[in-house]
Amino acid sequence: MTLPIPSLRTLLFRLHWALGLTAGLVLALMGLTGALMSYEEALTAFANRDRLEVTPGARTALSPATLAARIDAQAGGRIANVLTLSDDPRASVHVRFARDPETRARPPAAYADPYDGTLLGPVRLEGAFTTVRDLHRWLLLPGGSKGWGRTITGACTLALLAFLGTGLYLRWPRIHRWRIWLKPALSRPGRPRWWSLHAVVGTWLLPVYLVIALSGLTWSYPSFKDGATRLLAGAPDAGKPARPAGSKAAGRPVDAGADGGAAVDRAWADFRARTGDAAGTAVLTLPGADTKAIRIRWLPKGVDAPSARNEERYDPLTGALLASERATDAPLGRRLLDNILEVHRGRFFGDLVALLFCLAALAMPGFAATGLTLYVLRRRAGARRRAIEPEAPAVAVRAVSP
């Protein structure tokens, strides 16, 4: 006796619910943590609102090298590595410190007064969001980015793509009416109501989840990232200005000592002269063990969209300009790659799309819950049918007997 071969629809249905009972639970956790990280900057700013502003008075802002030196003197051995400077005279400076050379851990960030270098205190919620980020990326499992956690989350991201493909195939309507396709039938009782809610909301959010999954795979699989780079920007370094051959910084990092500090100030002066009043927020990366150049990434005044970010790179020994990149000059593919995190969060496409991505991430636990509900209801219905089937002949006999 040969066993019946399941149809393609049956196989895809079983794959869909099997992934839902396994990867779906992990994706629900990733959705919650991802939604929380969508507004990390806003939540952090609210928690640190008393440290975001200073009183300028008649004071003059320190040069970046002097500011970094004064911060280092108060930081207990930590070395200022990145300064976020604003054109707003009332804004404090966000300071990130260089990684520990032995543990490679980055010390907590802090705020500082741009006029005298006084440290105003650490960044509140930074540790909490670090934990949330590690939970999102590798489930807090041992090994971090090199352990099993990253393998699991990467596999679950692939499962999300499988959800999208199998779900779209399974719910393709026999009658193509927009109401069946896009409007949930909440008035239907029992399992049809849950199925309609699960399927219709999934259809609406399918493009969002597709972007989230494809962008997320660039962190999980280097080969996928290389393929995406070639697809969107050609060669891995296509579109990026080459470093001049005579640059002293090429190939070796330097420390920002006395000469390095002068180079930083020369680079900053050149940057301010070249951009004038056009620059708003500027993120200045100082030369050191982790960097080979003075890098200034900046946004135009009044603009906070990451896709508008520009970049200047300077020689860490001389302060001479090495390269200048403008967001408006880069092709779309290169901008997507350079801002892949913001693409993943939806911020690359604007505030409204970012909100949609956040809501889609919050909906992931809902898909896990409705999918589990459908699975339980289906099992109960099957159990009831199996319990009734043996009694069917007896009922039929009684029905025809006098």
Side-chain angles (χ1 to χ4, degrees), residues 79-115:
I79 304 298
N81 175 240
V82 181
L83 305 176
T84 301
L85 306 165
S86 174
D87 63 316
D88 185 353
R90 299 172 302 172
S92 60
V93 178
H94 183 277
V95 185
R96 292 180 66 188
F97 297 96
R99 295 182 182 275
D100 186 282
E102 296 182 359
T103 64
R104 301 303 298 164
R106 188 180 291 277
Y111 294 103
D113 190 317
Y115 299 98

Side-chain angles (χ1 to χ4, degrees), residues 83-318:
L83 305 176
T84 301
L85 306 165
S86 174
D87 63 316
D88 185 353
R90 299 172 302 172
S92 60
V93 178
H94 183 277
V95 185
R96 292 180 66 188
F97 297 96
R99 295 182 182 275
D100 186 282
E102 296 182 359
T103 64
R104 301 303 298 164
R106 188 180 291 277
Y111 294 103
D113 190 317
Y115 299 98
D116 57 20
T118 302
L119 286 175
L120 304 176
V123 177
R124 301 187 185 101
L125 294 185
E126 183 184 31
F129 274 109
T130 298
T131 302
V132 171
R133 190 176 301 108
D134 292 345
L135 181 61
H136 181 81
R137 292 178 175 177
W138 41 78
L139 307 177
L140 294 179
L141 294 179
S145 62
K146 298 181 180 179
W148 279 101
R150 181 178 178 181
T151 303
I152 294 173
T153 55
C156 290
T157 305
L158 289 174
L160 178 56
L161 291 176
F163 279 132
L164 300 179
T166 57
L168 185 64
Y169 179 86
L170 292 172
R171 78 142 316 194
W172 194 268
R174 294 190 178 96
I175 301 176
H176 294 277
R177 296 175 182 172
W178 72 267
R179 293 194 178 199
I180 297 176
W181 189 240
L182 299 176
K183 183 179 179 181
L186 300 181
S187 59
R188 301 172 66 185
R191 192 167 46 152
R193 174 194 299 168
W194 292 110
W195 179 89
S196 178
L197 181 65
H198 185 90
V200 172
V201 176
T203 301
W204 278 103
L205 295 179
L206 188 148
V208 175
Y209 289 141
L210 185 61
V211 174
I212 289 175
L214 293 177
S215 58
L217 287 176
T218 59
W219 291 292
S220 300
Y221 301 102
S223 58
F224 182 88
K225 181 179 180 180
D226 293 340
T229 300
R230 293 187 180 278
L231 177 65
L232 295 174
D237 294 329
K240 287 194 173 183
R243 186 185 300 275
S247 170
K248 297 181 181 179
R252 63 182 182 90
V254 298
D255 292 326
D259 294 338
V264 168
D265 286 345
R266 283 195 293 269
W268 182 253
D270 178 79
F271 165 74
R272 298 304 300 175
R274 294 176 67 252
T275 59
D277 296 332
T281 302
V283 180
L284 171 62
T285 301
L286 304 173
D290 296 331
T291 53
K292 297 180 180 179
I294 301 168
R295 188 173 68 173
I296 303 175
R297 308 180 82 179
W298 60 281
L299 290 171
K301 184 177 296 186
V303 177
D304 59 359
S307 58
R309 184 174 53 202
N310 307 298
E311 183 173 333
E312 322 291 326
R313 291 194 292 276
Y314 292 87
D315 190 296
L317 297 179
T318 65

